[in-house]
Amino acid sequence: MALNRDFVGRSYPAGPPYEVSRVKIREFAAAIGDNNPVYRDREAARAAGHPDVIAPPTFPIVFSLQSGGEALADPDLGLNFAMVVHGEQRFEYVRPVYAGDRLVVTATITDIRSAGRNELLTVRNDVTTVEGEPVCTTYNTIVERGGAA
Amino acid sequence: MTATVQYDEVEVGQEIPAVDYGVRRLNLVMYAGASGDFNQIHWNERFAKMVGLPDVIAHGMYTMAQAGRFVTDWVGDPGAVVDYGVRFSSMVVVPDDDQGATITVSGVVEEKLPDKRVVVGLTARSGDARVLSKARAVVQLA
């Protein structure tokens, strides 16, 4: 079923702040098999010039995956989750993510389009600290296989 | 923040040697837990086949993370990555055995930008398939 184009441009306000913890960064680094000490040890991170443990470049997926989830689950959008695969992903940084950051994410559906038999939907997530300092922007494009058939 | 690669010593066309990264079912279970992506196609063979996939497939983000690790290991500082994007062009099929699958990542310096930044083009392959396309990172060099 084709996705409802009326959803393009809709923004979803930030939920409660996501608090980045050293433990979560360590868990994520372990999951991707990266043993870099700056992901685990505060002193190693400081020695490398960072204020605290730094997050790997793809870490923001942890708190941006569910953003826009409210929209994606809306029956009016017509998305069949069983057929969803990840199409594209991008992280654009103003500064790295560090342990101790308290981040808020505003999600906007920026595009819905067909490609062959598939439907593609892009969510932009604007990530700032609770104080409003910009940290990064992520772009997540999902593919609904067969959605345009 | 201290990248260990010097901007002045890098040339356009310079290749970054390939690295192999393994992926087994255990990695996908760990990644599901760490990322919060519990889509069953990444751990449930029965479900994956039911929705038309050949077998369990890796999270695209797991592959993206390996190519990201390739970049941060090269540049010497995760904080040096200022922009990183990929398209997931093919699936990494992960069989339920001790070998799993292998993702091979290589890179090339495609462009030198102002402010000591460079564009690194990335290639990621698994078996015969190119699993990432349009994969590029902008990194801040020293």
Side-chain angles (χ1 to χ4, degrees):
Chain A
M1 191 171 79
L3 299 179
N4 184 349
R5 265 60 177 171
D6 290 348
F7 277 70
V8 174
R10 290 195 191 178
S11 274
Y12 297 83
Y18 179 86
E19 191 162 335
V20 180
S21 73
R22 284 187 210 122
V23 174
K24 190 67 188 180
I25 291 175
R26 174 193 290 258
E27 179 193 8
F28 188 85
I32 65 172
D34 195 325
N35 297 318
N36 195 331
V38 296
Y39 298 145
R40 289 173 171 73
D41 178 44
R42 192 182 184 185
E43 296 318 311
R46 285 190 166 169
H50 300 291
D52 205 318
V53 167
I54 185 173
T58 61
F59 181 84
I61 201 71
V62 170
F63 54 82
S64 64
L65 194 69
Q66 264 89 29
S67 68
E70 181 192 347
L72 302 190
D74 188 333
D76 287 345
L77 177 64
L79 181 69
N80 178 3
F81 268 105
M83 299 308 282
V84 167
V85 293
H86 205 161
E88 296 175 31
Q89 182 69 41
R90 181 177 171 202
F91 302 92
E92 206 179 21
Y93 280 96
V94 178
R95 69 151 171 88
V97 170
Y98 293 116
D101 281 342
R102 296 177 71 229
L103 303 174
V104 289
V105 185
T106 306
T108 305
I109 296 178
T110 55
D111 191 31
I112 298 176
R113 63 189 187 279
S114 302
R117 293 166 48 85
N118 301 326
E119 290 276 85
L120 276 63
L121 180 149
T122 301
V123 179
R124 187 188 77 225
N125 296 294
D126 295 301
V127 181
T128 71
T129 64
V130 289
E131 292 82 16
E133 178 197 0
V135 175
C136 65
T137 304
T138 79
Y139 304 85
N140 175 357
T141 300
I142 60 170
V143 178
E144 184 192 31
R145 295 184 299 130
Chain B
M1 286 177 268
T2 44
T4 54
V5 179
Q6 302 286 324
Y7 180 80
D8 291 339
E9 292 173 7
V10 168
E11 289 175 20
V12 171
Q14 181 175 326
E15 292 184 5
I16 307 169
V19 178
D20 285 343
Y21 301 96
V23 47
R24 292 182 299 142
R25 290 285 177 88
L26 173 62
N27 301 108
L28 302 185
V29 172
M30 289 173 73
Y31 191 80
S35 69
D37 182 348
F38 292 102
N39 191 327
Q40 293 186 70
I41 60 176
H42 303 306
W43 53 269
N44 183 337
E45 189 169 324
R46 179 174 50 82
F47 182 85
K49 289 181 173 169
M50 194 174 75
V51 297
L53 298 169
D55 201 336
V56 161
I57 62 170
H59 302 77
M61 287 307 301
Y62 183 87
T63 300
M64 186 178 188
Q66 302 314 308
R69 183 177 157 194
F70 176 84
V71 173
T72 55
D73 280 348
W74 175 68
V75 73
D77 175 21
V81 176
V82 293
D83 194 337
Y84 176 33
V86 305
R87 175 181 287 178
F88 304 104
S89 50
S90 189
M91 300 174 284
V92 176
V93 177
V94 183
D96 184 20
D97 59 27
D98 293 337
Q99 297 246 282
T102 301
I103 300 163
T104 303
V105 183
S106 60
V108 62
V109 176
E110 288 184 343
E111 195 181 348
K112 290 183 88 170
L113 305 174
D115 302 324
K116 297 190 175 182
R117 291 178 172 187
V118 296
V119 178
V120 177
L122 296 159
T123 302
R125 293 182 177 278
S126 185
D128 295 331
R130 191 170 171 157
V131 294
L132 299 179
S133 67
K134 291 174 64 179
R136 63 198 289 277
V138 178
V139 293
Q140 178 74 58
L141 301 184

